[in-house]
Amino acid sequence: MMENIPLYMVHDLDDIPNCPLPDGFKLCLLAREEECEQWAEITTAAGEFPDKTQALKRFAEEFAPYLSEAKKRILFLKTADGRYAGTASAWLSKWEKQMIGRLHWVEIKPEFQGQKLGRPLIAKAIELLSNYHQKAYLKTQPRSLAAIHLYLDFGFTPVMHTAEEENVWNDVFSELNKG
């Protein structure tokens, strides 16, 4: 499988399932810029960045200039006692020459993975996206099979513009069917 090929999926933001959180967890929006520290910890722990410094730099570039928008679109998954467990962004971006929603940075710290938290986090992010957009996309990678499985369950559909993308998607589907 070609690991370096990004994969894209789209969603029309209809039929968003209700996925309640397990007891002991809550979802809340970014409240203050200082929470960039928690965002950086989550995304680094989930393997998106080699260190927290790079995660903070990305937050500063991508979200800090649009803080008022970020406060409406960045979700945190927290334990009842206030520990940060995950994050997801109901962001926006240009897709095929139009500005649409983007499901972005869906991450759960490893110690909270496998606790049925991904579905409620994604469902709430898609619900947020539907408040602002009629369509959304996401970018993922072939190695993220568990995430791709969830995205497909939520109604995201693969985008294949090239033969190379089609081949990678075929490999992904083959791997998913083995599971």
Side-chain angles (χ1 to χ4, degrees), residues 67-175:
L67 193 58
S68 63
E69 200 65 29
K71 288 179 176 180
K72 295 186 266 181
R73 293 172 173 267
I74 296 178
L75 283 168
F76 283 113
L77 171 66
K78 294 165 80 172
T79 62
D81 64 3
R83 290 180 295 142
Y84 289 77
T87 188
S89 302
W91 205 235
L92 63 160
S93 194
K94 197 166 262 191
W95 172 261
E96 296 182 346
K97 298 182 183 170
Q98 62 179 335
M99 196 61 80
I100 67 171
R102 181 177 184 184
L103 181 63
H104 199 27
W105 299 113
V106 178
E107 309 293 343
I108 295 176
K109 284 182 175 178
E111 62 264 35
F112 294 102
Q113 292 175 4
Q115 297 183 40
K116 307 273 186 226
L117 299 169
R119 284 183 192 280
L121 180 60
I122 292 168
K124 185 63 176 178
I126 294 172
E127 181 186 314
L128 269 177
L129 283 166
S130 74
N131 291 338
Y132 304 106
H133 307 281
Q134 294 182 354
K135 186 176 182 179
Y137 80 100
L138 63 82
K139 177 181 170 183
T140 188
Q141 54 274 331
R143 70 178 180 276
S144 299
L145 292 174
I148 290 170
H149 178 78
L150 277 177
Y151 300 144
L152 290 167
D153 279 356
F154 271 99
F156 279 90
T157 56
V159 174
M160 297 176 235
H161 290 121
T162 66
E164 187 177 37
E165 289 172 337
E166 188 173 343
N167 289 337
V168 175
W169 273 112
N170 286 335
D171 289 346
V172 166
F173 292 135
S174 178
E175 288 297 315

Side-chain angles (χ1 to χ4, degrees), residues 12-53:
D12 62 12
L13 302 177
D14 290 331
D15 302 318
I16 304 162
N18 179 30
C19 300
L21 275 169
D23 289 342
F25 292 92
K26 62 184 176 180
L27 289 166
C28 55
L29 290 169
L30 174 79
R32 55 194 194 288
E33 189 171 5
E34 295 76 29
E35 282 182 305
C36 68
E37 294 284 334
Q38 285 78 19
W39 185 90
E41 284 176 17
I42 294 164
T43 55
T44 301
E48 291 296 329
F49 297 98
D51 59 59
K52 190 175 165 185
T53 302

